[in-house]
Amino acid sequence: MSDYTAKRIEEMEAAFGGGFVKARAELGVTSFGIQVIELPPDSVDYPEHDHVADGQEEVFLALRGSGRIEIDRNIVELTPDTLVR
């Protein structure tokens, strides 16, 4: 018997006005973190941060639309066919 959880993003608990979906908790993931962050068009409100102290890594993927991420003063284009770590 397989052990799995399948949920649509809109069925998952969200925070920050519904724009930060707690995918890790909703799927029962224990060995890595995963969140869905839905930003409105032209948003500049996502807080600048890093994980140098805690050693975490983040991977970004645009599910629809596009965006830009600034990493070490480099602008990286984010599109539905590009993952950025």
Side-chain angles (χ1 to χ4, degrees), residues 15-26:
F16 302 109
F20 190 92
V21 177
K22 299 177 179 184
R24 176 184 178 183
E26 288 289 319

Side-chain angles (χ1 to χ4, degrees), residues 3 5 7 22-32:
D3 181 22
T5 303
K7 284 191 175 182
K22 299 177 179 184
R24 176 184 178 183
E26 288 289 319
L27 295 174
V29 174
T30 59
S31 60
F32 69 93

Side-chain angles (χ1 to χ4, degrees), residues 24-64:
R24 176 184 178 183
E26 288 289 319
L27 295 174
V29 174
T30 59
S31 60
F32 69 93
I34 180 173
Q35 310 305 339
V36 176
I37 302 168
E38 188 169 347
L39 301 172
D42 302 315
S43 175
V44 294
D45 293 333
Y46 192 72
E48 183 176 325
H49 68 285
D50 66 48
H51 292 284
V52 173
D54 61 25
Q56 272 190 327
E57 293 182 284
E58 292 182 309
V59 175
F60 293 88
L61 167 68
L63 297 176
R64 56 187 172 270

Side-chain angles (χ1 to χ4, degrees), residues 67-83:
R68 293 182 185 98
I69 299 175
E70 182 177 344
I71 304 169
D72 296 332
R73 299 187 180 147
N74 296 306
I75 301 297
V76 179
E77 296 295 324
L78 189 59
T79 60
D81 61 352
T82 303
L83 289 122

